[in-house]
Amino acid sequence: MKQIVLIGFMGAGKSSVGQKLAEKLDIPLYDTDQLIEKEKGMSIPEIFEVHGEDYFRKEEVAMLEKMKQVSGVISTGGGIVSTEKAQKALAAFPHVVFLNVAIEDLVERIKKDKENVRPLFLNNSLEAFQEIYFKRLPLYQRAGKIIVENQNKGIDEIAHEIILKVGG
Ligand code: S3P
């Protein structure tokens, strides 16, 4: 069974790299955010608004637990490292890849991305948003057994680098 879990902050490229990686390895792509949206019949911003962030975090870890049964690339939401339960669940996967991008670039990417509405970006000042990044950084570094810098690189190059680091 081949499982590669992608973690990283909002805007780090988990979805696009995940897609390329799945294509190259010829395995399916699972996106925990999309699966939660489908299961709940609500968008992420709606879930945050109606049920709150804590509820979303519980659903997120439950979805991650379900992913233990699948074979494929698993792209996660940026906050997957924020609860102890999710950290434990992540530790059970053989290949967890942290896609790292500098916060300044992440902010620029998020601003440009009109398709994905991120409640944590909308509802926080830039300073508070940056604080979330710095608080999470050591958590990503600890959970990501493989760290890949996604700075000034093409998606194809990153996918290739991940395959090499994961070991084929
Ligand atoms: C979140 C990241 C989002 C989504 C939700 C919360 C976070 O996913 O799960 O808005 O807490 O960082 P992306 O990382 O795909 O934007």
Side-chain angles (χ1 to χ4, degrees):
M1 188 196 286
K2 178 144 250 155
Q3 275 174 331
I4 302 176
V5 181
L6 299 180
I7 63 168
F9 206 62
M10 292 163 259
K14 302 178 295 286
S15 302
S16 43
V17 170
Q19 221 164 0
K20 181 56 76 180
L21 200 52
E23 200 182 293
K24 278 184 182 282
L25 293 169
D26 197 20
I27 54 177
L29 170 70
Y30 297 89
D31 182 312
T32 57
D33 277 350
Q34 279 178 14
L35 290 167
I36 295 168
E37 286 182 321
K38 205 167 157 198
E39 195 178 273
K40 302 290 158 200
M42 292 167 100
S43 68
I44 302 284
E46 279 168 348
I47 298 174
F48 267 70
E49 202 180 317
V50 176
H51 298 293
E53 185 175 346
D54 287 352
Y55 170 89
F56 175 72
R57 297 294 167 215
K58 286 192 188 113
E59 294 303 320
E60 195 174 37
V61 73
M63 190 54 76
L64 186 64
E65 298 277 2
K66 280 187 207 165
M67 295 294 103
K68 287 182 185 164
Q69 329 303 333
V70 307
S71 180
V73 176
I74 301 150
S75 169
T76 60
I80 198 76
V81 290
S82 49
T83 66
E84 222 171 284
K85 203 167 172 202
Q87 290 161 14
K88 276 199 186 125
L90 276 176
F93 288 91
H95 306 299
V96 179
V97 179
F98 167 35
L99 282 184
N100 190 32
V101 177
I103 183 65
E104 297 75 20
D105 294 325
L106 288 169
V107 168
E108 287 312 307
R109 289 182 191 196
I110 293 167
K111 279 185 191 161
K112 277 187 205 149
D113 185 356
K114 305 286 175 219
E115 259 174 56
N116 270 316
V117 177
R118 273 95 171 192
L120 290 183
F121 185 66
L122 287 181
N123 303 336
N124 280 294
S125 65
L126 189 57
E127 207 175 51
F129 189 71
Q130 288 175 334
E131 253 172 52
I132 300 173
Y133 170 83
F134 286 111
K135 209 169 131 195
R136 284 182 186 170
L137 193 54
L139 303 176
Y140 293 129
Q141 285 164 335
R142 199 176 317 143
K145 291 160 196 144
I146 296 168
I147 299 179
V148 172
E149 301 297 326
N150 183 1
Q151 209 94 27
N152 306 319
K153 285 180 194 164
I155 292 170
D156 215 68
E157 193 184 342
I158 295 164
H160 184 67
E161 193 177 327
I162 294 173
I163 292 170
L164 286 182
K165 287 189 171 170
V166 163

